[in-house]
Amino acid sequence: MRHALNLLAPEVIENPHPYYAELRERAPVCQVEPNGFWAVSRYDDVVYVLKHPELFSSRTSEVRRILLDERLLREPLLVGETSLLRSDPPDHTQMRKLISGAFTPRAIAQIEARVRDIATEHLDRILAQDTFDMMEDLAVPLPVTVIAEMLGVDPSLRADFKRWSDDTINLPAGSQPLSEEEVERILRSRREMRAYFHEMIADRKRRPREDLISDIVRGEVEYGVLTEDDVLGMVVLLLVAGNETTTNLIGNGTLTLLEHPDALRRLREEPALIPGFIEEVLRYEGPVRLLTRRATQDVTLSGVAIPEGATVMPLVAAANRDPAQFPDPDRFDITREQRGHVAFGFGIHFCVGAPLSRVEGRIAFEELLRRLPPFSREPGPPSWNRSFGLRGLRSLPLRFDRTAAAA
């Protein structure tokens, strides 16, 4: 079955949820544009795909080759073929072990005070202004600084890290052609990132430290698990994933609160509800739209035959609003009893950084709701990134209502 929906259409990027609802109802497993990829939209089917790597492999690097402007293929992508995202067991299992210790709840608890200090520093700057941009002034620098410190790289370069990250993952695809100047800028950004992290990796080989880059290098040197390109790919992946997910969580959460003033008022009065609020944001307007898999054999899903080699796209954002799993799913409810959203994935590829993202999001909202006076959006529609797989804002201009705060 083929559906006319194009996942790259501007109206789908701006608000995908009505289109996902139609898929769930009428064509829960079907081919869509671009390229006839197979969209999977119901919760149970999405979980099934993610639970069975033997049927749905994560080795799907060809998707980016199809979607990206062909001029960007002049130079290799930074994330290697054997990255955490694009690997299956046993490679995936070995690589995950190298970094998982840094993201356990116990390890994250040890850096919680530092996360709060970073949030406080940025909120101090915000409070000195009448207007601010939630993305530029808090949602971006907080997680970028945290992951930079965990990797052991200079956090003062966070503007470069964010630019490199965006030029790796937030790339327009398909019907949005890039100018020659944009192509050259992106390729230059890749070269800069590759050169910088090659230098950092070489330094850790000479002088290991207690940081994530050193942990990954040990996997190459001591265990023979990774190639040099794999090490580079994993470092870049940690940088990108370590900031994009939380950045989108903070931005989407702030926008959602402004659209639901009753929830905003209640959170200010009852900050103990913030962890539940974080989970509801992840479900309702999570940072990831979809994942990609490749069918390793002919497989039938909900009565629909998917051929071997097909690219399958579990729509996690659609699954998170499936009424079969979440009653009244289009209602934002910060007291909702959570029933297993898949915003961080499921199964062996469940996001290793989920504990860090949750803590960063919780602390960001604890501090901004405690310290910031009432604020509102500047006029204009939300400015969404035109990313194929992610759901996040480019900017979120806000203004303090200090009169209301004084009253």
Side-chain angles (χ1 to χ4, degrees), residues 8-80:
L8 294 177
E11 61 272 18
V12 179
I13 296 288
E14 293 299 319
N15 183 14
H17 301 295
Y19 302 96
Y20 293 165
E22 181 181 350
L23 289 183
R24 283 194 308 266
E25 180 66 25
R26 300 186 179 182
V29 179
C30 67
Q31 288 183 274
V32 297
E33 298 302 326
N35 215 61
F37 295 146
W38 289 81
V40 179
S41 52
R42 289 181 180 168
Y43 181 89
D44 286 346
D45 290 335
V46 166
V47 168
Y48 184 86
V49 170
L50 300 180
K51 276 177 62 176
H52 293 279
E54 74 282 4
L55 299 177
F56 300 96
S57 170
S58 295
R59 297 185 183 275
T60 59
S61 58
E62 71 277 1
V63 173
R64 289 177 67 85
R65 298 192 186 102
I66 292 169
L67 292 175
L68 288 181
D69 189 309
E70 63 180 11
R71 293 169 294 174
L72 295 179
L73 302 178
R74 295 171 185 168
E75 299 183 18
L77 290 170
L78 284 163
V79 178

Side-chain angles (χ1 to χ4, degrees), residues 161-294:
F161 298 150
K162 179 58 179 172
R163 175 170 55 86
W164 296 342
S165 175
D166 286 344
D167 286 341
T168 300
I169 201 165
N170 278 322
L171 294 176
S175 60
Q176 302 160 13
L178 299 171
S179 69
E180 195 63 35
E181 290 75 18
E182 288 174 311
V183 170
E184 287 304 319
R185 176 186 58 77
I186 292 169
L187 292 177
R188 184 167 58 251
S189 181
R190 290 180 179 178
R191 295 181 201 116
E192 290 174 5
M193 178 161 59
R194 178 181 288 275
Y196 178 80
F197 282 112
H198 267 311
E199 182 180 343
M200 293 299 100
I201 290 166
D203 176 73
R204 296 312 190 276
K205 288 181 178 180
R206 294 190 299 267
R207 295 184 296 272
R209 306 180 191 176
E210 293 300 317
D211 57 36
L212 273 172
I213 292 182
S214 298
D215 290 344
I216 297 168
V217 166
R218 277 191 284 271
E220 177 196 4
V221 176
E222 295 181 13
Y223 309 120
V225 174
L226 304 175
T227 67
E228 186 170 342
D229 282 345
D230 293 337
V231 172
L232 178 65
M234 284 190 69
V235 171
V236 171
L237 174 62
L238 285 169
L239 174 70
V240 172
N243 76 75
E244 292 290 346
T245 300
T246 306
T247 291
N248 293 349
L249 171 59
I250 295 171
N252 296 359
T254 303
L255 178 63
T256 302
L257 279 181
L258 291 170
E259 293 173 341
H260 298 82
D262 289 344
L264 175 55
R265 183 168 50 253
R266 187 166 183 187
L267 280 183
R268 286 189 183 277
E269 296 170 352
E270 300 180 65
L273 296 176
I274 289 175
F277 154 74
I278 294 294
E279 298 306 311
E280 180 67 345
V281 172
L282 289 165
R283 183 200 70 82
Y284 181 84
E285 197 69 276
V288 177
R289 299 175 68 206
L290 57 86
L291 303 171
T292 58
R293 296 293 187 266
R294 177 179 53 82

Side-chain angles (χ1 to χ4, degrees), residues 23 26 47 145 148 161 195 223 271 342 357-358 398 400-401 404:
L23 289 183
R26 300 186 179 182
V47 168
T145 302
F161 298 150
Y223 309 120
V342 287
S357 186
R358 284 183 163 117
L398 302 174
F400 286 124
D401 185 356

